[in-house]
PDB file of all heavy atoms in Angstrom:
ATOM      1  N   SER A   6      15.663  -1.883  -8.120  1.00  0.00           N
ATOM      2  CA  SER A   6      15.932  -2.956  -9.086  1.00  0.00           C
ATOM      3  C   SER A   6      16.723  -4.081  -8.431  1.00  0.00           C
ATOM      4  O   SER A   6      16.445  -5.265  -8.659  1.00  0.00           O
ATOM      5  CB  SER A   6      16.709  -2.397 -10.288  1.00  0.00           C
ATOM      6  OG  SER A   6      15.968  -1.415 -10.958  1.00  0.00           O
ATOM      7  N   ILE A   7      17.701  -3.703  -7.605  1.00  0.00           N
ATOM      8  CA  ILE A   7      18.489  -4.710  -6.898  1.00  0.00           C
ATOM      9  C   ILE A   7      17.593  -5.488  -5.936  1.00  0.00           C
ATOM     10  O   ILE A   7      17.698  -6.714  -5.815  1.00  0.00           O
ATOM     11  CB  ILE A   7      19.653  -4.040  -6.137  1.00  0.00           C
ATOM     12  CG1 ILE A   7      20.646  -3.418  -7.127  1.00  0.00           C
ATOM     13  CG2 ILE A   7      20.360  -5.044  -5.227  1.00  0.00           C
ATOM     14  CD1 ILE A   7      21.737  -2.603  -6.483  1.00  0.00           C
ATOM     15  N   GLY A   8      16.710  -4.772  -5.246  1.00  0.00           N
ATOM     16  CA  GLY A   8      15.786  -5.427  -4.331  1.00  0.00           C
ATOM     17  C   GLY A   8      14.856  -6.401  -5.039  1.00  0.00           C
ATOM     18  O   GLY A   8      14.512  -7.455  -4.488  1.00  0.00           O
ATOM     19  N   LYS A   9      14.457  -6.063  -6.264  1.00  0.00           N
ATOM     20  CA  LYS A   9      13.560  -6.941  -7.018  1.00  0.00           C
ATOM     21  C   LYS A   9      14.223  -8.286  -7.322  1.00  0.00           C
ATOM     22  O   LYS A   9      13.563  -9.330  -7.274  1.00  0.00           O
ATOM     23  CB  LYS A   9      13.142  -6.271  -8.327  1.00  0.00           C
ATOM     24  CG  LYS A   9      12.142  -5.142  -8.159  1.00  0.00           C
ATOM     25  CD  LYS A   9      10.748  -5.651  -7.831  1.00  0.00           C
ATOM     26  CE  LYS A   9      10.109  -6.351  -9.007  1.00  0.00           C
ATOM     27  NZ  LYS A   9       8.719  -6.793  -8.685  1.00  0.00           N
ATOM     28  N   VAL A  10      15.512  -8.262  -7.641  1.00  0.00           N
ATOM     29  CA  VAL A  10      16.192  -9.496  -8.032  1.00  0.00           C
ATOM     30  C   VAL A  10      16.805 -10.215  -6.835  1.00  0.00           C
ATOM     31  O   VAL A  10      17.342 -11.310  -6.995  1.00  0.00           O
ATOM     32  CB  VAL A  10      17.281  -9.221  -9.094  1.00  0.00           C
ATOM     33  CG1 VAL A  10      16.657  -8.646 -10.351  1.00  0.00           C
ATOM     34  CG2 VAL A  10      18.343  -8.276  -8.552  1.00  0.00           C
ATOM     35  N   THR A  11      16.718  -9.632  -5.655  1.00  0.00           N
ATOM     36  CA  THR A  11      17.235 -10.281  -4.448  1.00  0.00           C
ATOM     37  C   THR A  11      16.076 -10.623  -3.502  1.00  0.00           C
ATOM     38  O   THR A  11      15.615 -11.758  -3.461  1.00  0.00           O
ATOM     39  CB  THR A  11      18.269  -9.389  -3.749  1.00  0.00           C
ATOM     40  OG1 THR A  11      17.700  -8.087  -3.505  1.00  0.00           O
ATOM     41  CG2 THR A  11      19.516  -9.234  -4.591  1.00  0.00           C
ATOM     42  N   VAL A  12      15.605  -9.623  -2.775  1.00  0.00           N
ATOM     43  CA  VAL A  12      14.506  -9.853  -1.828  1.00  0.00           C
ATOM     44  C   VAL A  12      13.239 -10.300  -2.553  1.00  0.00           C
ATOM     45  O   VAL A  12      12.571 -11.254  -2.140  1.00  0.00           O
ATOM     46  CB  VAL A  12      14.225  -8.578  -1.005  1.00  0.00           C
ATOM     47  CG1 VAL A  12      13.044  -8.802  -0.065  1.00  0.00           C
ATOM     48  CG2 VAL A  12      15.455  -8.167  -0.221  1.00  0.00           C
ATOM     49  N   GLY A  13      12.902  -9.599  -3.645  1.00  0.00           N
ATOM     50  CA  GLY A  13      11.699  -9.952  -4.387  1.00  0.00           C
ATOM     51  C   GLY A  13      11.742 -11.371  -4.920  1.00  0.00           C
ATOM     52  O   GLY A  13      10.767 -12.120  -4.816  1.00  0.00           O
ATOM     53  N   LYS A  14      12.868 -11.743  -5.490  1.00  0.00           N
ATOM     54  CA  LYS A  14      13.031 -13.099  -6.032  1.00  0.00           C
ATOM     55  C   LYS A  14      12.952 -14.139  -4.924  1.00  0.00           C
ATOM     56  O   LYS A  14      12.339 -15.208  -5.095  1.00  0.00           O
ATOM     57  CB  LYS A  14      14.375 -13.200  -6.755  1.00  0.00           C
ATOM     58  CG  LYS A  14      14.603 -14.515  -7.469  1.00  0.00           C
ATOM     59  CD  LYS A  14      13.653 -14.679  -8.641  1.00  0.00           C
ATOM     60  CE  LYS A  14      13.989 -15.928  -9.442  1.00  0.00           C
ATOM     61  NZ  LYS A  14      13.059 -16.111 -10.582  1.00  0.00           N
ATOM     62  N   ALA A  15      13.536 -13.823  -3.768  1.00  0.00           N
ATOM     63  CA  ALA A  15      13.499 -14.756  -2.635  1.00  0.00           C
ATOM     64  C   ALA A  15      12.066 -14.967  -2.155  1.00  0.00           C
ATOM     65  O   ALA A  15      11.671 -16.091  -1.825  1.00  0.00           O
ATOM     66  CB  ALA A  15      14.370 -14.224  -1.499  1.00  0.00           C
ATOM     67  N   LEU A  16      11.286 -13.896  -2.104  1.00  0.00           N
ATOM     68  CA  LEU A  16       9.894 -14.019  -1.674  1.00  0.00           C
ATOM     69  C   LEU A  16       9.085 -14.860  -2.663  1.00  0.00           C
ATOM     70  O   LEU A  16       8.280 -15.706  -2.259  1.00  0.00           O
ATOM     71  CB  LEU A  16       9.267 -12.633  -1.535  1.00  0.00           C
ATOM     72  CG  LEU A  16       9.709 -11.797  -0.334  1.00  0.00           C
ATOM     73  CD1 LEU A  16       9.194 -10.374  -0.455  1.00  0.00           C
ATOM     74  CD2 LEU A  16       9.223 -12.423   0.972  1.00  0.00           C
ATOM     75  N   MET A  17       9.289 -14.607  -3.939  1.00  0.00           N
ATOM     76  CA  MET A  17       8.543 -15.352  -4.962  1.00  0.00           C
ATOM     77  C   MET A  17       8.922 -16.829  -4.956  1.00  0.00           C
ATOM     78  O   MET A  17       8.070 -17.711  -5.127  1.00  0.00           O
ATOM     79  CB  MET A  17       8.804 -14.752  -6.343  1.00  0.00           C
ATOM     80  CG  MET A  17       8.307 -13.316  -6.501  1.00  0.00           C
ATOM     81  SD  MET A  17       6.523 -13.149  -6.286  1.00  0.00           S
ATOM     82  CE  MET A  17       5.937 -13.986  -7.760  1.00  0.00           C
ATOM     83  N   THR A  18      10.206 -17.131  -4.739  1.00  0.00           N
ATOM     84  CA  THR A  18      10.668 -18.515  -4.765  1.00  0.00           C
ATOM     85  C   THR A  18      10.374 -19.245  -3.460  1.00  0.00           C
ATOM     86  O   THR A  18       9.924 -20.387  -3.462  1.00  0.00           O
ATOM     87  CB  THR A  18      12.190 -18.547  -5.029  1.00  0.00           C
ATOM     88  OG1 THR A  18      12.478 -17.883  -6.258  1.00  0.00           O
ATOM     89  CG2 THR A  18      12.685 -19.982  -5.103  1.00  0.00           C
ATOM     90  N   GLY A  19      10.626 -18.568  -2.340  1.00  0.00           N
ATOM     91  CA  GLY A  19      10.461 -19.221  -1.045  1.00  0.00           C
ATOM     92  C   GLY A  19       9.020 -19.321  -0.578  1.00  0.00           C
ATOM     93  O   GLY A  19       8.603 -20.350  -0.055  1.00  0.00           O
ATOM     94  N   TRP A  20       8.241 -18.253  -0.781  1.00  0.00           N
ATOM     95  CA  TRP A  20       6.859 -18.222  -0.272  1.00  0.00           C
ATOM     96  C   TRP A  20       5.827 -18.587  -1.336  1.00  0.00           C
ATOM     97  O   TRP A  20       4.713 -18.950  -1.024  1.00  0.00           O
ATOM     98  CB  TRP A  20       6.553 -16.851   0.316  1.00  0.00           C
ATOM     99  CG  TRP A  20       7.081 -16.664   1.705  1.00  0.00           C
ATOM    100  CD1 TRP A  20       6.383 -16.768   2.869  1.00  0.00           C
ATOM    101  CD2 TRP A  20       8.427 -16.370   2.094  1.00  0.00           C
ATOM    102  NE1 TRP A  20       7.193 -16.541   3.960  1.00  0.00           N
ATOM    103  CE2 TRP A  20       8.465 -16.297   3.503  1.00  0.00           C
ATOM    104  CE3 TRP A  20       9.615 -16.135   1.389  1.00  0.00           C
ATOM    105  CZ2 TRP A  20       9.627 -16.013   4.216  1.00  0.00           C
ATOM    106  CZ3 TRP A  20      10.769 -15.855   2.093  1.00  0.00           C
ATOM    107  CH2 TRP A  20      10.764 -15.795   3.495  1.00  0.00           C
ATOM    108  N   ARG A  21       6.185 -18.448  -2.598  1.00  0.00           N
ATOM    109  CA  ARG A  21       5.308 -18.795  -3.723  1.00  0.00           C
ATOM    110  C   ARG A  21       3.897 -18.207  -3.583  1.00  0.00           C
ATOM    111  O   ARG A  21       2.896 -18.933  -3.523  1.00  0.00           O
ATOM    112  CB  ARG A  21       5.218 -20.314  -3.868  1.00  0.00           C
ATOM    113  CG  ARG A  21       6.543 -20.974  -4.223  1.00  0.00           C
ATOM    114  CD  ARG A  21       6.399 -22.465  -4.384  1.00  0.00           C
ATOM    115  NE  ARG A  21       7.677 -23.102  -4.668  1.00  0.00           N
ATOM    116  CZ  ARG A  21       7.854 -24.423  -4.762  1.00  0.00           C
ATOM    117  NH1 ARG A  21       6.815 -25.233  -4.578  1.00  0.00           N
ATOM    118  NH2 ARG A  21       9.039 -24.915  -5.017  1.00  0.00           N
ATOM    119  N   PRO A  22       3.781 -16.890  -3.532  1.00  0.00           N
ATOM    120  CA  PRO A  22       2.450 -16.283  -3.438  1.00  0.00           C
ATOM    121  C   PRO A  22       1.645 -16.509  -4.710  1.00  0.00           C
ATOM    122  O   PRO A  22       2.190 -16.541  -5.818  1.00  0.00           O
ATOM    123  CB  PRO A  22       2.770 -14.790  -3.244  1.00  0.00           C
ATOM    124  CG  PRO A  22       4.118 -14.614  -3.890  1.00  0.00           C
ATOM    125  CD  PRO A  22       4.862 -15.881  -3.592  1.00  0.00           C
ATOM    126  N   HIS A  23       0.354 -16.675  -4.524  1.00  0.00           N
ATOM    127  CA  HIS A  23      -0.563 -16.835  -5.663  1.00  0.00           C
ATOM    128  C   HIS A  23      -1.033 -15.454  -6.088  1.00  0.00           C
ATOM    129  O   HIS A  23      -1.410 -14.637  -5.252  1.00  0.00           O
ATOM    130  CB  HIS A  23      -1.753 -17.703  -5.261  1.00  0.00           C
ATOM    131  CG  HIS A  23      -2.776 -17.859  -6.341  1.00  0.00           C
ATOM    132  ND1 HIS A  23      -2.533 -18.557  -7.497  1.00  0.00           N
ATOM    133  CD2 HIS A  23      -4.054 -17.390  -6.432  1.00  0.00           C
ATOM    134  CE1 HIS A  23      -3.612 -18.525  -8.262  1.00  0.00           C
ATOM    135  NE2 HIS A  23      -4.543 -17.821  -7.653  1.00  0.00           N
ATOM    136  N   VAL A  24      -1.010 -15.181  -7.380  1.00  0.00           N
ATOM    137  CA  VAL A  24      -1.360 -13.853  -7.893  1.00  0.00           C
ATOM    138  C   VAL A  24      -2.515 -13.971  -8.875  1.00  0.00           C
ATOM    139  O   VAL A  24      -2.501 -14.819  -9.775  1.00  0.00           O
ATOM    140  CB  VAL A  24      -0.157 -13.186  -8.582  1.00  0.00           C
ATOM    141  CG1 VAL A  24      -0.534 -11.778  -9.054  1.00  0.00           C
ATOM    142  CG2 VAL A  24       1.038 -13.129  -7.637  1.00  0.00           C
ATOM    143  N   GLU A  25      -3.519 -13.117  -8.708  1.00  0.00           N
ATOM    144  CA  GLU A  25      -4.667 -13.053  -9.607  1.00  0.00           C
ATOM    145  C   GLU A  25      -4.862 -11.623 -10.089  1.00  0.00           C
ATOM    146  O   GLU A  25      -4.645 -10.676  -9.338  1.00  0.00           O
ATOM    147  CB  GLU A  25      -5.942 -13.524  -8.900  1.00  0.00           C
ATOM    148  CG  GLU A  25      -5.916 -14.973  -8.430  1.00  0.00           C
ATOM    149  CD  GLU A  25      -7.207 -15.375  -7.741  1.00  0.00           C
ATOM    150  OE1 GLU A  25      -8.222 -14.657  -7.898  1.00  0.00           O
ATOM    151  OE2 GLU A  25      -7.200 -16.410  -7.038  1.00  0.00           O
ATOM    152  N   GLY A  26      -5.257 -11.485 -11.352  1.00  0.00           N
ATOM    153  CA  GLY A  26      -5.560 -10.171 -11.904  1.00  0.00           C
ATOM    154  C   GLY A  26      -4.351  -9.345 -12.270  1.00  0.00           C
ATOM    155  O   GLY A  26      -4.439  -8.117 -12.352  1.00  0.00           O
ATOM    156  N   ILE A  27      -3.213  -9.989 -12.527  1.00  0.00           N
ATOM    157  CA  ILE A  27      -1.995  -9.250 -12.858  1.00  0.00           C
ATOM    158  C   ILE A  27      -2.190  -8.411 -14.120  1.00  0.00           C
ATOM    159  O   ILE A  27      -1.530  -7.375 -14.306  1.00  0.00           O
ATOM    160  CB  ILE A  27      -0.801 -10.223 -13.030  1.00  0.00           C
ATOM    161  CG1 ILE A  27       0.533  -9.461 -13.010  1.00  0.00           C
ATOM    162  CG2 ILE A  27      -0.947 -11.043 -14.292  1.00  0.00           C
ATOM    163  CD1 ILE A  27       0.969  -9.021 -11.660  1.00  0.00           C
ATOM    164  N   GLU A  28      -3.138  -8.827 -14.971  1.00  0.00           N
ATOM    165  CA  GLU A  28      -3.404  -8.084 -16.205  1.00  0.00           C
ATOM    166  C   GLU A  28      -4.043  -6.724 -15.942  1.00  0.00           C
ATOM    167  O   GLU A  28      -4.099  -5.866 -16.828  1.00  0.00           O
ATOM    168  CB  GLU A  28      -4.314  -8.903 -17.136  1.00  0.00           C
ATOM    169  CG  GLU A  28      -5.742  -9.092 -16.640  1.00  0.00           C
ATOM    170  CD  GLU A  28      -5.886 -10.239 -15.644  1.00  0.00           C
ATOM    171  OE1 GLU A  28      -4.866 -10.851 -15.282  1.00  0.00           O
ATOM    172  OE2 GLU A  28      -7.039 -10.522 -15.248  1.00  0.00           O
TER     173      GLU A  28
END
Side-chain angles (χ1 to χ4, degrees):
S6 298
I7 294 173
K9 286 286 290 182
V10 298
T11 54
V12 178
K14 185 67 174 179
L16 287 170
M17 296 299 291
T18 302
W20 280 260
R21 296 181 182 175
H23 177 68
V24 182
E25 298 180 17
I27 195 76
E28 68 277 4

